[in-house]
Amino acid sequence: VNNRLRELRAARRWSQADLADRLEVSRQTVNAIETGRYDPSLPLAFKIAEVFENPIESLFFTTQSSDHQP
Amino acid sequence: MTKQGARERKSSSDVARDHAALRDVVPALVALLILQGSLILSDPHGEVTVPYLLWSFSPLAPALWLVWAQLRSLRRADEYQRAIQLESMAIGFGAVILLALTGGLLDAAGIGDPRTSLQVTFIGGVLIWVGALMVKSSRTS
């Protein structure tokens, strides 16, 4: 599963630690999700969607569907 | 990106977890060192009395404290950290099984000393556990 976390975080000029603070997780976890080493649980994915005020399906997508992403 | 991440500050939950882990682990380690040290210094060099035998088990208390601290650390960890901690423990556990089996086979063949095998198994298992955790953590730090 790919995601747009880094792109959205950069647009808000947040550091990984800033995002981690908002999600109440470690900076290491944000890094792991951004680099695709770890897929978050559903509760954390919903929290990410809430923080970025974006629907969850616009944040996470499979490799096949990534061609259709903006 | 990993290098950029390394320059960043820790998140507030990281800092809180680190402080809590230190509060749990440091007193247990100090107690373990004091008890183990006193045992080494008070070696009876002769007949072992029942009180001394009981005293010789005293380091088990801080060791249990350390196990409790590890459990608390695991509960405090977020989902990704918990996953890598559990994977590292599984690797360490596998290493302990293999080292214990090797020690047992050597003992059955009449080679080596069981006490040395036990020490190698314990220290080797802990080192491999910690090493695996460091490698896994470094990939996303």
Side-chain angles (χ1 to χ4, degrees), chain B:
Chain B
M1 196 61 209
T2 303
K3 283 183 178 175
Q4 181 195 339
R7 286 195 299 269
E8 283 195 15
R9 69 173 174 85
K10 289 182 172 183
S11 72
S12 37
S13 65
D14 281 326
V15 174
R17 267 191 290 270
D18 288 351
H19 286 172
L22 278 177
R23 275 197 304 273
D24 281 350
V25 168
V26 170
L29 274 179
V30 170
L32 184 63
L33 286 174
I34 290 171
L35 287 172
Q36 193 65 50
S38 68
L39 265 178
I40 292 168
L41 293 175
S42 65
D43 191 344
H45 298 294
E47 190 184 344
V48 176
T49 59
V50 172
Y52 182 81
L53 189 64
L54 292 175
W55 176 241
S56 68
F57 281 108
S58 62
L60 283 178
L64 199 63
W65 189 351
L66 284 172
V67 172
W68 172 79
Q70 177 58 33
L71 279 174
R72 276 169 59 89
S73 163
L74 205 56
R75 287 193 192 121
R76 275 191 299 262
D78 66 30
E79 55 184 62
Y80 173 70
Q81 289 181 319
R82 192 174 299 145
I84 61 172
Q85 281 193 38
L86 288 174
E87 282 173 20
S88 307
M89 278 186 207
I91 291 170
F93 178 72
V96 166
I97 295 289
L98 286 176
L99 288 169
L101 181 63
T102 307
L105 291 172
L106 286 173
D107 188 44
I111 303 167
D113 169 36
R115 189 177 173 182
T116 309
S117 292
L118 185 66
Q119 287 169 338
V120 168
T121 300
F122 176 75
I123 295 168
V126 170
L127 287 179
I128 290 171
W129 166 25
V130 172
L133 187 59
M134 286 171 74
V135 169
K136 284 178 174 295
S137 296
S138 69
R139 289 176 186 162
T140 48
S141 60

